[in-house]
Amino acid sequence: MHNLSKNVMRFAVAGEKDLPVLVTRSLAARASNRRWTRLQATCCAIGLAIGVAGLATPSGAVASEPRSWDFVDGDDFQKGDLDGLALHPIHGLSVAPGLARVDVDAELVHCWLRDGKRLWLGTGVEGKIFVVEGDKAKEVAAVDAALVGSLASDGKGGVYAGLIGKGEIVHVTADFKVTTLVELPDAKHVWALLNHGGQLLAATGPGGKVFAVNVAAKTASVYADTDTEHALVMVEDKGAVLVGTAGSPMLLRIEGEGKIVALASYPGSEVRSIARLNDRIYAAINGNPEVLKLQQLKATPKSPGVDKDKRQTKASQTKTKASGGGLGAVWVRHDDGQLYQHFVSPLGLLGQIGAAGQGVVAGAAHGGRVLIGDLEGAVTTLFDLDEGAVLGVEMGPKGPVTLFTGRSAAVYRVGGTPARSVFTSQVLTASGVARWGRVEAIGSGKLWVETRSGYSNPANDTWSAWQPLANERIQSAPATMFQVRVTLASTDATLSELHLHRQLLNRTPFIEKLDVKFDAKATSYHVNWSARDPDGDKLGYVITYRRRGTTQWLMLHDRYYDKTSLGLSPKDM
């Protein structure tokens, strides 16, 4: 029997994926391929020396299970930047049509009108009217209102403009002279103007009235009362007028003065836009009670026209799906009365919609993207505009030909080949420092893959530079955060799946607490300890001892000890 005060004890701790190795310290925590850091604690009063050895991970030590980030459908790719790309929910990424940008010196383009060779723009939040000529947008008029809400042709090369915040209609002549046409009674907003049957109709709110304007007499009278909060949008339809409302979102048909037929009602807060395709009427429905507050749209922090490479890309930050602060969906009503939801916007609120070919096109009010829903409701995403809000869409026979934006205002002509077609992932975050493995890019055509890594979100200058793969393996340094970008380098290139493999560097388990107390009555020691593994591995312990003055360590047991306390008496030694 030995005197315990003349013995030294040692502990070893290892995670479930770690193999213990021999160390020459008094108390040790250990795992495979480890170097050691030590904390020495001596209980001088009882003559018991106890050493604590904590694990430290050497370069290259890995023991965790391999993991991967997988992009396999539209929802996965939607979270990144789609520069010059089209995204189908099943087939993945392909090269989109090109875009030619025209800068507009305003916050947002709220309405537009193509009248012959002229393209008119109504903007906010300073109430300006522009004409686009070639690759320039020229300011031609300013009105006393925050926002130009609607435009209609005067048939003579000029336009009528409905104002938001004043309930007025102004006349802008072909030579850009501005006069007040009429002030509508009890109306604060003129949301839509429409030339119908030789007269000018104005949809207004609050009150939801549609006025008929006598242009020659400069007077107005109520043409139809929708009995809703706002009559928000009007379109010509087979000799009648379709009206979409807000407050109580409904689709109405005005078949003559005072003759209103209800076609549909919707969940949500507004009918933002209406479009017909053959025997179907599509309606963009938004579900945020704040959507009418258009003044909430803010300018981008960057001035219009800044090169995209010099901006902070949206994918440099973690981005959430449907981050627009509201819900948007497209509903369809057949002429036989069938009514159903066609698709839900993956990006929240919707702007203007249009219909052509075999589907419906919708601008996303957040995310800078255009959504195309086919007849089955599958949604393809186009573009990734820096301005953030696609508020207007001009349609051609086969699809969108012009886009109009907010945050800030711009006009994009659609056509040709994009300058580049690049997918950039959002910042991907590992649970610890990771070593990167292979990349599997599944697609066709020419694909060029690059990666970078770092420790911050958003990415900044401390990150590694973009590096190409070498033998399909990632060359970026180990880190906690990661990005990949894939260039579709040929017009026929596609990317349907992307798999990024990683493995966490196995981190050192360490002892957090060690207490030794002597029980004089029982002439024994009570030892308590706690340890933690940063990777969550299950821990086990080995307790060894040796007599002072000797070098041989003896084990108290022949297995891992899974408890965190131990009572020792001389007979145990």
Side-chain angles (χ1 to χ4, degrees):
M1 186 178 297
H2 303 291
N3 186 333
L4 187 59
S5 65
K6 295 181 179 180
N7 296 326
V8 177
M9 293 187 302
R10 179 175 65 179
F11 290 173
V13 56
E16 58 186 346
K17 298 182 179 66
D18 306 320
L19 297 176
V21 296
L22 182 63
V23 295
T24 57
R25 297 297 298 174
S26 299
L27 183 148
R30 58 195 179 190
S32 63
N33 300 322
R34 308 294 188 185
R35 63 178 183 268
W36 300 92
T37 59
R38 298 178 175 86
L39 173 65
Q40 186 76 28
T42 304
C43 303
C44 301
I46 59 174
L48 177 65
I50 301 174
V52 180
L55 292 170
T57 305
S59 176
V62 291
S64 63
E65 295 294 334
R67 302 175 186 178
S68 64
W69 286 299
D70 302 296
F71 296 78
V72 297
D73 59 25
D75 286 346
D76 297 326
F77 286 106
Q78 190 79 255
K79 299 170 185 176
D81 272 358
L82 311 178
D83 187 359
L85 293 172
L87 172 60
H88 188 274
I90 298 174
H91 305 303
L93 297 170
S94 58
V95 176
L99 293 172
R101 186 181 190 277
V102 178
D103 177 35
V104 181
D105 186 19
E107 303 283 348
L108 60 96
V109 178
H110 183 253
C111 56
W112 59 273
L113 174 71
R114 190 175 292 279
D115 188 18
K117 295 182 179 181
R118 276 185 173 173
L119 177 60
W120 295 81
L121 308 177
T123 72
V125 290
E126 295 179 351
K128 297 178 181 179
I129 296 175
F130 292 79
V131 169
V132 178
E133 298 175 344
D135 60 353
K136 303 290 184 181
K138 175 185 176 183
E139 181 184 338
V140 296
V143 297
D144 185 20
L147 186 68
V148 179
S150 49
L151 295 169
S153 172
D154 70 355
K156 301 176 182 179
V159 295
Y160 300 115
L163 307 185
I164 302 300
K166 291 196 68 175
E168 289 184 2
I169 300 174
V170 300
H171 183 206
V172 182
T173 63
D175 57 355
F176 310 130
K177 295 178 180 178
V178 181
T179 58
T180 298
L181 176 65
V182 67
E183 182 174 347
L184 302 176
D186 302 321
K188 188 176 181 180
H189 310 299
V190 182
W191 291 112
L193 294 175
L194 178 67
N195 286 308
H196 172 72
Q199 58 187 339
L200 179 66
L201 300 182
T204 69
K209 293 181 176 61
V210 176
F211 289 88
V213 179
N214 186 323
V215 174
K218 296 186 177 182
T219 61
S221 60
V222 176
Y223 184 74
D225 188 345
T226 67
D227 196 28
T228 61
E229 187 175 351
H230 295 270
L232 199 61
V233 58
M234 294 189 298
V235 297
E236 186 82 21
D237 186 63
K238 299 181 179 180
V241 176
L242 296 178
V243 177
T245 68
S248 300
M250 301 179 67
L251 176 64
L252 307 174
R253 183 195 300 275
I254 302 178
E255 298 180 341
E257 185 173 354
K259 298 178 182 179
I260 299 179
V261 178
L263 301 182
S265 62
Y266 307 97
S269 60
E270 67 166 11
V271 179
R272 170 52 60 184
S273 183
I274 302 169
R276 174 177 279 280
L277 180 63
N278 302 322
D279 65 341
R280 305 178 182 194
I281 301 171
Y282 293 93
I285 312 300
N286 287 327
N288 186 325
E290 302 298 317
V291 291
L292 294 180
K293 297 183 180 179
L294 295 173
Q295 63 270 26
Q296 290 182 345
L297 293 175
K298 304 297 184 183
T300 49
K302 299 291 186 179
S303 59
V306 175
D307 185 81
K308 184 167 184 176
D309 287 337
K310 297 180 181 179
R311 300 188 185 192
Q312 177 177 294
T313 63
K314 292 184 285 294
S316 68
Q317 305 181 61
T318 300
K319 180 165 55 176
T320 59
K321 182 180 175 181
S323 59
L327 300 176
V330 172
W331 285 68
V332 59
R333 185 194 185 276
H334 292 250
D335 286 344
D336 63 7
Q338 294 182 69
L339 177 68
Y340 53 87
Q341 183 175 274
H342 189 51
F343 67 81
V344 175
S345 165
L347 296 168
L349 302 177
L350 295 173
Q352 186 182 18
I353 64 172
Q358 295 297 310
V360 60
V361 178
H366 297 271
R369 296 180 181 177
V370 173
L371 309 176
I372 300 179
D374 65 19
L375 296 181
E376 303 302 320
V379 180
T380 296
T381 303
L382 288 176
F383 314 124
D384 200 339
L385 307 183
D386 287 345
E387 289 74 19
V390 181
L391 302 180
V393 178
E394 181 185 18
M395 297 297 294
K398 297 182 179 180
V401 295
T402 314
L403 308 177
F404 307 90
T405 72
R407 304 189 186 129
S408 54
V411 175
Y412 284 89
R413 296 189 178 99
V414 181
T417 302
R420 63 177 194 168
S421 299
V422 180
F423 168 73
T424 305
S425 76
Q426 73 276 29
V427 171
L428 303 168
T429 304
S431 59
V433 177
R435 167 183 288 176
W436 320 114
R438 293 181 300 110
V439 171
E440 296 176 77
I442 300 173
S444 61
K446 296 180 180 179
L447 300 176
W448 180 254
V449 181
E450 298 170 286
T451 67
R452 64 177 179 176
S453 59
Y455 291 88
S456 62
N457 185 11
N460 56 30
D461 292 341
T462 66
W463 277 50
S464 65
W466 289 104
Q467 293 178 275
L469 305 181
N471 298 320
E472 298 185 350
R473 298 193 67 85
I474 298 168
Q475 301 302 299
S476 300
T480 58
M481 297 184 183
F482 182 79
Q483 269 189 300
V484 61
R485 70 181 181 191
V486 182
T487 300
L488 280 64
S490 59
T491 57
D492 62 344
T494 64
L495 178 64
S496 57
E497 293 185 26
L498 185 63
H499 304 276
L500 314 169
H501 297 277
R502 70 187 190 279
Q503 190 172 36
L504 291 178
L505 297 179
N506 199 5
R507 290 169 290 179
T508 302
F510 56 90
I511 295 173
E512 296 179 304
K513 181 184 72 173
L514 176 64
D515 293 323
V516 180
K517 295 182 179 179
F518 177 67
D519 187 337
K521 184 176 180 180
T523 64
S524 64
Y525 287 90
H526 295 286
V527 184
N528 296 277
W529 65 92
S530 65
R532 183 166 64 89
D533 188 281
D535 300 317
D537 294 342
K538 184 179 179 180
L539 297 178
Y541 310 92
V542 173
I543 299 93
T544 60
Y545 73 96
R546 65 174 173 83
R547 286 182 60 84
R548 290 190 182 278
T550 66
T551 59
Q552 183 177 4
W553 290 93
L554 304 174
M555 294 180 62
L556 285 174
H557 48 83
D558 57 0
R559 61 179 175 80
Y560 278 111
Y561 193 76
D562 58 3
K563 298 180 180 179
T564 57
S565 64
L566 188 67
L568 292 174
S569 66
K571 65 181 180 180
D572 295 320
M573 315 299 285

